[in-house]
Structures are given as C-alpha cells and as structure tokens.
Amino acid sequence: MTRKQRWVLLLAIVAPLALVGAAVGGLYWLREWDRHPAPDSGRPGSWMTVTSEFVMEFSRVRPPASAGEVHWAYQKGFQDDSAYLSFRLPPGEEERFLADLKMTVKPSFENRVDSSALTGFQRAGAPDPKAAGPLREGSFLAEPLPGHNKRLAATVWLAAEADGGTRVWVDAGDSP
C-alpha cells in the first residue's frame, strides 16, 4: 500500500468518526442548553430577575413593613410560573400575618418541603426550611389576577425562632 493510499484510508476512517463525535457533542450541548436555560432568557425553566414587589403581587403574600431578611426568586415555567419568598417576622407579628392571609397552619410532618421549593429558596438566598426547627404549614388558593387566566396555589411554611420571631417561606405557583 502506498503512502497516498494510507492517507486516504486514514482520512476515510477519521473523518466519519470526527463527524459522529461532533454530532454527539452538539446534541449533548443542545440538551444541556434546553435543560438549563440561561437566567433571564424567558425560556421555560429560566430564573428571572424580578423585583420583590412583583413576587409579592404574584404570590398574593405581602410581608408586613416590620418584616426583615426578605428573599425572593421567580422561575418561568413551561405552563406554570413559580415564585419563592422568604422573610422574618419580628416577635408578635405572626398572628396578624396569618389573619391577613386568612389561612390556618398545622404541623408539617417530617418538615416536608418538596425539592423544587428547596431549590427556589436556595436560589433566593433564603435559609433552608429543613434546617429550621419544627415547621408548620398552610396553603391557600387565589383567584386569577385581573387580565390573567390562571389561579394561584401557595404553600406557606413557618418556623419559630429563638427570640420569639417567625421565619416564613412561601412557594407560590400559578396554574390553569
């Protein structure tokens, strides 16, 4: 076999392998791009930069003016969007806060908080609710906002803090 024939044979083997490798790499990149969209891209699954006011309006939960350590995050979904809100109520504010929400809370068995909510709270920079003391939990449904066609479902977790204050976490999502 001549030198030229060896090069042709080598090229005939390497070129298809390189094309297959490039195709597999490209498909992997596209899959990762689809699974983890860039922030603020507006694509389903992307985390959006929004104001705390936007999250409070979306979630229908407004912390009292005395609340501190407010954290929030908002994720654009394929069909449903999600908002995550966390804040700290000073001592003596919990009862009035719950009365304003028109919601009762009960003990949360095993401090159960689903993984998507934990991811949202982590994204918001809020303390981990599972690391808090015993959690209490409540939920509510809200009618669509004017001009929208989706209802809102929200779950609220509360944990007492050592100084008598309360840490609050809210996971709100809209759905048709």
Side-chain angles (χ1 to χ4, degrees):
M1 185 178 293
T2 67
R3 187 175 179 153
K4 185 176 180 182
Q5 289 173 328
R6 277 185 270 173
W7 275 106
V8 169
L9 180 61
L10 182 63
L11 187 60
I13 293 171
V14 172
L17 289 176
L19 286 173
V20 168
V24 168
L27 289 173
Y28 175 80
W29 178 80
L30 284 173
R31 182 173 178 261
E32 287 302 303
W33 178 74
D34 190 48
R35 287 181 57 210
H36 305 288
D40 290 325
S41 67
R43 292 187 50 241
S46 64
W47 292 93
M48 304 298 289
T49 302
V50 297
T51 64
S52 61
E53 282 297 316
F54 180 90
V55 170
M56 289 175 204
E57 181 179 325
F58 178 89
S59 68
R60 318 296 205 291
V61 175
R62 184 162 297 283
S66 59
E69 301 175 37
V70 180
H71 302 274
W72 67 92
Y74 181 80
Q75 187 175 31
K76 178 88 172 143
F78 177 68
Q79 290 182 330
D80 306 330
D81 296 347
S82 300
Y84 305 93
L85 179 65
S86 176
F87 51 92
R88 186 183 182 290
L89 295 171
E93 294 279 333
E94 179 183 316
E95 199 170 305
R96 186 172 56 158
F97 170 72
L98 290 173
D100 289 345
L101 282 182
K102 298 175 179 65
M103 180 186 72
T104 57
V105 294
K106 60 184 186 229
S108 175
F109 297 102
E110 302 171 10
N111 281 0
R112 196 175 15 195
V113 180
D114 68 33
S115 63
S116 64
L118 289 173
T119 300
F121 297 135
Q122 181 182 31
R123 180 74 183 198
D128 183 352
K130 288 188 162 237
L135 293 176
R136 291 166 292 132
E137 176 182 342
S139 59
F140 65 89
L141 290 172
E143 290 303 314
L145 290 170
H148 293 83
N149 61 352
K150 293 183 176 185
R151 296 179 65 182
L152 177 95
T155 303
V156 179
W157 293 273
L158 298 102
E161 294 192 323
D163 69 349
T166 304
R167 170 64 65 180
V168 179
W169 295 268
V170 179
D171 172 11
D174 61 2
S175 59

